[in-house]
Amino acid sequence: MNIIKRMIYNSMLPITGTLLKNKNKYINVIYYHDIVKGNGGGAQYTNIDIFKIHMNYIVENGYNTYTFDELDNGADISFQSKSVLITFDDGWLSNYKEIFEFMKEKNIKYNIYLAVSEIGNNPDYLTWDMVREMHESGLVGFGAHTYSHVSVQNIAEVNKEIEFDLANKKFYEELGYEPIDFCYPYGQYTKESNDYLVNDTIYKRIYTSDLMFSYEQSGKIIFGRSSINNDEPFKTFINKLKGNYNAFNLIRGK
Ligand SMILES: [Zn+2]
């Protein structure tokens, strides 16, 4: 990003978002990926020290955090100024190893979308034992993210038996329930893939990676999410936490 774009993104955009805030109908959702010591760099990593600063801010400012299970069990899903759904994509090992104890100490709830084929198979990812331990603690919720972490943008060419059915089956075998939260790998989707997810799968809550206002479609909810990026200023994190970035797609005309 050049300096002008960065200024607009970090300073002007959240002001617009604040003005349009009443368009936020559903709970605000933020997302991370891997949490690393040192410098991972880029949007897909967050340094552990920066992550802890974010989480301490959430606790000190009295935010309510939720698991997917709590959303099923009647937690208030409407937009509240002090509620946030914290999510992590893919199922990285660090989501257990680096942060589980810390999140327990702080009593911060979070959620992870699993790329099922990697779980227990790739040393950089969680094992099913870790997933079960986290889930049983009541602190961590789990959702689907396809079996092989494939883009579902071209839904006609997606192997649905593998990416949805097998992913759900494996999830059920390991955890005893089928996921009803689904996050688009790479944030990629089209109207066709979204319609398929809404009409032909068991998923009730579908998460994009778009900075947009969440909306309801045929009784299901499509969530916009704000990516929390390692290199952004702290005030941008705060504005994303407050839902002030969800007007971005509106402005961009998406
Ligand atoms: Zn992913």
Side-chain angles (χ1 to χ4, degrees), residues 33 44 89-90 115 145 149 183-186:
H33 282 82
Q44 306 293 303
D89 290 14
D90 306 332
H145 198 43
H149 200 271
C183 171
Y184 288 115
Y186 313 104

Side-chain angles (χ1 to χ4, degrees), residues 50-170:
I50 291 174
F51 178 77
K52 286 182 175 176
I53 291 170
H54 293 173
M55 294 304 116
N56 285 330
Y57 181 89
I58 283 174
V59 171
E60 284 157 17
N61 288 276
Y63 275 80
N64 293 311
T65 55
Y66 299 95
T67 63
F68 292 151
D69 309 79
E70 289 177 313
L71 298 188
D72 293 340
N73 294 324
D76 191 351
I77 207 165
S78 69
F79 182 83
Q80 308 281 331
S81 60
K82 288 292 175 85
S83 287
V84 66
L85 198 62
I86 303 170
T87 65
F88 292 78
D89 290 14
D90 306 332
W92 295 95
L93 178 63
S94 64
N95 299 172
Y96 176 87
K97 209 177 140 197
E98 304 297 340
I99 69 169
F100 183 45
E101 283 304 317
F102 173 78
M103 299 296 257
K104 261 201 279 193
E105 274 168 36
K106 301 280 176 185
N107 195 30
I108 303 172
K109 288 159 185 164
Y110 62 110
N111 302 278
I112 306 170
Y113 312 98
L114 299 174
V116 168
S117 67
E118 305 290 355
I119 305 306
N121 289 321
N122 183 329
D124 293 332
Y125 286 73
L126 300 166
T127 66
W128 285 109
D129 279 340
M130 293 171 189
V131 171
R132 273 186 290 273
E133 184 188 337
M134 285 192 281
H135 188 247
E136 282 162 17
S137 75
L139 201 76
V140 189
F142 289 92
H145 198 43
T146 74
Y147 187 78
S148 335
H149 200 271
V150 293
S151 169
V152 302
Q153 192 163 23
N154 190 351
I155 193 68
E157 290 183 3
V158 171
N159 187 330
K160 298 170 187 79
E161 283 81 28
I162 290 178
E163 303 307 338
F164 306 124
D165 301 347
L166 180 61
N168 293 352
K169 182 170 173 276
K170 180 74 179 159

